[in-house]
Every structure is written in C-alpha cells, then in structure tokens.
C-alpha cells in the first residue's frame, strides 16, 4: 500500500505534514500549495536477494521518496 503525504514548511523551516483543511494544499479556497510530496510504502515490501552460495532471509524494503511540489 502506497501512502502519499503533502508537506509544508513551518515557520522554523522544518517540513510538517499537511492537515486536510484550508491551511494546506487547496489553492482554490485560499490555502497555500504543499512544498513537498512524500510517497512511501510504510508496511514495506519483502524482497529475497539471491546471492550465490549463501542463504539470506527475506529483507523488508521500506522506500520513501520526497520531491518538491512544483505543479498545479
């Protein structure tokens, strides 16, 4: 399951998760656009690496990507 999270930068310069109200993301009602969009798979995706002559257990891959929001 993918999780898509819009983020804004607070007054201290730290990114914070946007709330789902007029204060974030909806420019049509006066809210500012998000500064970043973060996409992640928080529960992880199991991978089984194949390396010759070794036995390796399944490893949970938990990727997160954060990109600046530039669009509309």
């Amino acid at each position: 399951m993918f999780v898509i999270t819009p983020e804004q930068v607070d007054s201290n310069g730290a990114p914070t998760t946007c709330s789902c109200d007029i204060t974030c993301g909806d420019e049509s009602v006066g809210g500012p656009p998000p500064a970043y969009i973060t996409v992640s798979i928080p529960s992880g995706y199991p991978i089984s690496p194949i390396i010759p002559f070794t036995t390796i257990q399944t490893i949970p891959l938990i990727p997160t990507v954060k990109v600046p929001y530039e669009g509309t």
Side-chain angles (χ1 to χ4, degrees):
M1 174 169 58
F2 289 94
V3 175
I4 301 170
T5 309
E7 296 180 352
Q8 285 187 325
V9 178
D10 66 9
S11 60
N12 295 324
T16 59
T17 302
C18 288
S19 57
C20 293
D21 61 11
I22 197 170
T23 63
C24 183
D26 193 354
E27 293 179 86
S28 67
V29 292
Y36 299 98
I37 301 292
T38 301
V39 179
S40 63
I41 304 175
S43 59
Y45 181 81
I47 62 169
S48 299
I50 299 173
I51 300 175
F53 311 112
T54 62
T55 303
I56 298 177
Q57 297 179 357
T58 301
I59 300 170
L61 177 66
I62 305 174
T64 299
V65 177
K66 180 188 281 191
V67 294
Y69 179 78
E70 298 288 334
T72 56

